[in-house]
Amino acid sequence: MSVPSSRTSLTRLAPWIMVLPSVIFTVLLIGFPIVYVIYLMFTKWAPGSSFWGLPFVGLDNVKATFKDVLFWKSTWITLKISAISLFFEVVLGTYLGILLSKSVKGIKVLRVLFFFPAIVPSVAAGMVWVQLYDPSLGFLNYVLQTFHLPAGTWLNDPESVIYALSIVDIWQWTPFIAMIVLGGIQALPEDPYEAAYMDGASKTQALFYITLPMLKQTILIALMLRSVDMLRIFDTIYVMTQGGPINSSTSLNIYGYQQGFLYTSMGKASTAMLFLLLIVMTISFLLTRWRKRYV
């Protein structure tokens, strides 16, 4: 009787034993950094300090961060560049995904080439675009002047730098959205289209009344994936402007980096990063609720 009983217990424990490595990995990789950032937020860190045992300062770091004008400006810049980029990436990505779903000669090669910007490292893409945006020798101003249009100041103007950075992000990540939409289109059933065409529907009507409504779930998932990544934007901005000019492109990630590694204020950096984590989780939660309720 004891042998079957032990086998039953082992069978029940088997799923937990199998997931245990991933649980340990998740705790070490995600849980511990978050706990330590929270610890730094309530302590005073200085270069050369020990790992633990830092002086407790209560809410001083939180108050100092929330009183910092640059912190709130960085929050606004993060939301602004994310909103601009995500809007155009979703609209253009959906449109291009529909175009790439057409069966024409050479479409498979075109899909591979179209996805190329998404696999380029952001640092490399940023360095290329810095050259394109150069006010004196950049290709973009050369094209504008060829058509007798005024040259742009791009990254050097506080008014235009956000839009210039958004163009880079849109160029790089619109193909990512398009590929997700393309996968969604290829998974759509044929029956609704056949029924619609038998009733005399045009292709435009099929697009707006069948394709797009059935793609809402796919588009929303693509938006969720991109919004989480977009709000954490760092490498492109750091390579192209380092937050300038005059902090006009300082996102929350750039702000946290500057406070932590340039000004050695780990408490303010930790507060900013936890605030950014809260923003990301809030937007993800709202998009998830929206998807469950309306899609």
Side-chain angles (χ1 to χ4, degrees), residues 92-171:
L92 294 176
T94 303
Y95 176 69
L96 293 172
I98 293 171
L99 290 183
L100 289 172
S101 68
K102 305 299 180 185
S103 298
V104 296
K105 188 176 181 180
I107 191 65
K108 292 183 178 178
V109 177
L110 184 60
R111 288 171 185 168
V112 174
L113 295 176
F114 183 75
F115 193 65
F116 182 73
I119 63 175
V120 175
S122 297
V123 173
M127 294 177 70
V128 171
W129 276 91
V130 166
Q131 302 301 319
L132 294 175
Y133 279 141
D134 188 279
S136 302
L137 304 174
F139 178 74
L140 294 180
N141 277 351
Y142 170 77
V143 172
L144 291 175
Q145 290 170 350
T146 301
F147 292 98
H148 304 289
L149 295 172
T153 49
W154 308 111
L155 302 175
N156 298 331
D157 188 344
E159 299 296 328
S160 63
V161 64
I162 291 296
Y163 302 101
L165 291 169
S166 296
I167 290 173
V168 178
D169 198 83
I170 293 166
W171 168 81

Side-chain angles (χ1 to χ4, degrees), residues 186-204:
Q186 291 176 336
L188 294 180
E190 293 290 337
D191 296 347
Y193 293 96
E194 293 174 358
Y197 292 141
M198 288 180 65
D199 290 339
S202 64
K203 290 189 175 180
T204 303

Side-chain angles (χ1 to χ4, degrees), residues 27-249:
V27 170
L28 292 177
L29 193 68
I30 300 175
F32 176 75
I34 292 177
V35 171
Y36 193 67
V37 167
I38 295 173
Y39 171 73
L40 288 176
M41 189 172 69
F42 295 108
T43 56
K44 182 176 178 56
W45 181 89
S49 300
S50 59
F51 196 74
W52 295 109
L54 301 175
F56 181 74
V57 295
L59 295 175
D60 288 356
N61 289 322
V62 178
K63 293 177 181 176
T65 305
F66 286 175
K67 288 180 180 177
D68 191 349
V69 176
L70 182 57
F71 168 74
W72 294 111
K73 182 178 180 180
S74 302
T75 303
W76 167 243
I77 288 171
T78 302
L79 296 176
K80 183 178 179 181
I81 193 172
S82 298
I84 295 171
S85 301
L86 289 172
F87 174 78
F88 285 101
E89 285 171 16
V90 170
V91 173
L92 294 176
T94 303
Y95 176 69
L96 293 172
I98 293 171
L99 290 183
L100 289 172
S101 68
K102 305 299 180 185
S103 298
V104 296
K105 188 176 181 180
I107 191 65
K108 292 183 178 178
V109 177
L110 184 60
R111 288 171 185 168
V112 174
L113 295 176
F114 183 75
F115 193 65
F116 182 73
I119 63 175
V120 175
S122 297
V123 173
M127 294 177 70
V128 171
W129 276 91
V130 166
Q131 302 301 319
L132 294 175
Y133 279 141
D134 188 279
S136 302
L137 304 174
F139 178 74
L140 294 180
N141 277 351
Y142 170 77
V143 172
L144 291 175
Q145 290 170 350
T146 301
F147 292 98
H148 304 289
L149 295 172
T153 49
W154 308 111
L155 302 175
N156 298 331
D157 188 344
E159 299 296 328
S160 63
V161 64
I162 291 296
Y163 302 101
L165 291 169
S166 296
I167 290 173
V168 178
D169 198 83
I170 293 166
W171 168 81
Q172 186 170 22
W173 293 109
T174 294
F176 175 76
I177 301 287
M179 287 298 139
I180 293 178
V181 172
L182 174 61
I185 292 174
Q186 291 176 336
L188 294 180
E190 293 290 337
D191 296 347
Y193 293 96
E194 293 174 358
Y197 292 141
M198 288 180 65
D199 290 339
S202 64
K203 290 189 175 180
T204 303
Q205 289 173 321
L207 172 64
F208 285 100
Y209 293 106
I210 299 176
T211 304
L212 290 179
M214 288 198 296
L215 278 178
K216 283 194 294 186
Q217 184 92 343
T218 303
I219 294 172
L220 198 54
I221 290 174
L223 175 62
M224 290 174 62
L225 293 173
R226 271 305 298 148
S227 62
V228 170
D229 192 47
M230 185 68 221
L231 289 165
R232 298 182 293 111
I233 184 171
F234 176 82
D235 39 11
T236 302
I237 295 178
Y238 186 76
V239 169
M240 299 184 70
T241 65
Q242 296 189 346
I246 323 175
N247 293 318
S248 301
S249 61

